[in-house]
Amino acid sequence: MNTESVVEFLGNVPLLQKLPSSSLKKIAQVVVLKRYGKGDYVVREGQAWDGCYFIFAGEAQVTGPAEEENRSEFLLKQYDYFGHGISGHVHSADIVAMSELTCLVLPRGSCHLLETNSIWQSDKAVDQCSLVERILHLDPLELNIFRGVTLPDAPIFGKVFGGQFMGQALAAASKTVDFLKIVHSLHSYFLLVGDIDIPIIYQVHRIRDGNNFATRRVDAIQKGNIIFMLLASFQKEQQGFDHQESTMPSVPDPDTLLSLEELRDRRITDPQLPRSYRNKVATANFIPWPIEIRFCDPSNSTNQTKSPPRLRYWFRAKGKLSDDQALHRCVVAFASDLIFASISLNPHRRKGLRSAALSLDHSMWFHRPLRADDWLLFVIVSPTAYMTRGFVTGQMFNRKGELVVSLTQEALLREARPPKPSLTSKL
């Protein structure tokens, strides 16, 4: 049995799907192949624990302790496992092969590979990872259930940031599929505002598992309510047709452009901007984002200056990310919502305008492999806005000009109403 087939098999074992892909590759190198004939004992009750068994082919029957009056029996099939989490270091039941049986056994001395601090990296603690990787870290609670939190230094806008929902929900979905299958599309709906002070529970529904495709639905839950929903499709890499009609626009190299921090410092001292605006920028509570952004067309416009409904900027994650392609796509999903739907407001901005924007839905198609810690160009256009809904489309290119992601989003756009004056009695 070659390593590639072992890795592919291990990727379908539910217990292992929550692990970093690097851990699965290490496990594939140390598992031992064992075969049993029909009727053979795989392990006996009271036998010393020697590792974790994964059923590669065939079926086995588990029989409960002999002293129990009603001994429970059930079948184990392909991708099932036993021997993980045993207390007392002995097996508590007989396991008998019901057919020709093949198992992959992770030796006891290597079972530490089943426990990692991070769902993304096997050799690094969560607090040593980049900020965006920490934001996208989830705690696996049970099979298909994960917990995420809003970190104090994560982007917030008075509520849970929409990109956090997408990135964390996609991370949860990714940790329930074979790591050889990578997300190629997602569709999400924002249902209720998220509370930044309490954890978010992500429940994954395994809609379909095929040879080349898998489908997952994720519900984000707070206080018993579904507040966000994501549907994602995953595909195993295959050879096929390749063409690209979209052309990356000619824009300045990101290394020649100002960062958001530099742009902020310049705006504070720019005499062409209103003093009231400069004072507002200077006194605003500025928390750097975990995503570095550089606008291609820096201008003196403010959030109260009318401008065309389009924007182009380079972005990348701050810090080095692991090589897990699933993580990179989660980071791009996170970053895609930072400056997107608000472009629909550009033609309607004016002095004194107070507006409110709330994402309704967000869809993404991943066309090619990418790295979120290398520069990506985000080209955004809002073709229309009507009544209270604004619509935006986007394309992301890598530095070679390859189209890597296409996006759409619809958002609720409203002019904020001034608070009504309180009524006072005339008596």
Side-chain angles (χ1 to χ4, degrees), residues 55 87 114 143 151 191 201 203 222 263 289 294 328 341 353 367 381 403 405 408 418:
I55 296 183
S87 59
L114 299 175
L143 187 67
L151 298 181
L191 307 177
I201 301 300
Q203 183 168 5
Q222 281 188 330
L263 188 60
W289 288 346
R294 299 193 178 186
H328 287 263
L353 174 68
H367 307 304
V381 176
L403 179 64
V405 185
T408 62

Side-chain angles (χ1 to χ4, degrees), residues 27-75:
I27 291 172
Q29 294 173 353
V30 297
V31 289
V32 178
L33 182 69
K34 290 188 177 183
R35 290 188 171 92
Y36 305 87
K38 182 178 180 180
D40 289 349
Y41 279 89
V42 183
V43 298
R44 287 182 177 272
E45 179 186 344
Q47 178 181 324
W49 172 61
D50 57 348
C52 187
Y53 289 68
F54 305 99
I55 296 183
F56 184 83
E59 295 182 346
Q61 180 174 279
V62 181
T63 305
E67 64 271 11
E68 290 187 3
E69 184 175 344
N70 298 315
R71 300 183 70 184
S72 59
E73 296 182 350
F74 58 90
L75 283 178

